[in-house]
Amino acid sequence: MEKLLKMITEELLKHLVLESVHPEDPIEVRNVPEPWVLLGSGNYAAVLCHPDYDKYAVKIYAPGRPGLAEEVEVYRRLGTHPAYAELYHAGPDFLVLKRLRGVTFYDCMKRGIPITDQAIRDIDEALKYATSRGLHPHDVHAKNVMTQDGRGLIVDVSDFLKQEDCTMWDDFKKAYTRLYRPIASLWLFPVPRPVLEMVRKGYRLWRRRQS
């Protein structure tokens, strides 16, 4: 771990370029130094790994984006659970986490990979567990949950301290039950990214009108 932390501070942080263009959009990753690999990015941070330490995921918060201290508290409360990552180290602007391997539900739909009922049940159970630990699951959607070997994992817990209600996961389950499962049982096909993005933006607009 000590060597990895040295590589993060002396190599990754010095050359990684993250930009926060718009507060409602994911951050933009402008440069990733070799041999680091970008695993993904979200509204607050980018997640990377080093090939020599591929059991770890390093989450780097973009300048000006809040939430690191809150995420540390979330992982403290979660402890050890099979559907969540574990926090190994917290730096001033980065976290070192257990790397979760799988495919996000979003990419499953994009690539035509089936999302199982078991994965949905796993997410439900994991969210109930988080609630029992004094957390308030928030922002749980298709890009923040994954499936691995048919089981469900929750990738992003950074908003689990927020107190306002969030219906994203319940809305996704309704769409899964009423649309995805009936169609996928007959014909499982890749959904083009522009279509998924159109649905995502349409859903965001619909939620704003409901609030």
Side-chain angles (χ1 to χ4, degrees), residues 140-174:
V140 182
H141 53 75
K143 287 187 175 182
N144 284 345
V145 294
M146 292 196 310
T147 180
Q148 180 187 37
D149 299 327
R151 305 305 299 261
L153 305 170
I154 299 179
V155 181
D156 191 349
V157 299
S158 56
D159 288 329
F160 276 31
L161 286 181
K162 290 187 175 181
Q163 293 303 306
E164 62 265 28
D165 291 333
C166 180
T167 64
M168 293 180 111
W169 176 245
D170 288 337
D171 292 338
F172 178 86
K173 285 198 301 180
K174 290 176 184 177

Side-chain angles (χ1 to χ4, degrees), residues 78 81 84 121-135 137 154 160 173:
L78 286 174
H81 186 281
Y84 295 103
R121 288 193 295 268
D122 289 340
I123 302 301
D124 277 336
E125 188 279 328
L127 295 177
K128 290 178 182 177
Y129 169 80
T131 301
S132 75
R133 306 290 290 182
L135 297 168
I154 299 179
F160 276 31
K173 285 198 301 180

Side-chain angles (χ1 to χ4, degrees), residues 70-132:
E70 289 80 2
E71 187 164 0
V72 170
E73 173 61 16
V74 170
Y75 279 112
R76 185 191 70 79
R77 296 192 194 183
L78 286 174
T80 301
H81 186 281
Y84 295 103
E86 293 180 48
L87 176 63
Y88 295 135
H89 179 85
D93 49 8
F94 70 92
L95 305 175
V96 179
L97 304 165
K98 175 184 176 182
R99 182 180 174 185
L100 298 179
R101 298 176 183 271
V103 183
T104 66
F105 284 14
Y106 181 92
D107 283 338
C108 283
M109 291 183 285
K110 188 170 69 174
R111 294 160 55 182
I113 298 172
I115 300 171
T116 65
D117 290 350
Q118 180 62 57
I120 298 294
R121 288 193 295 268
D122 289 340
I123 302 301
D124 277 336
E125 188 279 328
L127 295 177
K128 290 178 182 177
Y129 169 80
T131 301
S132 75

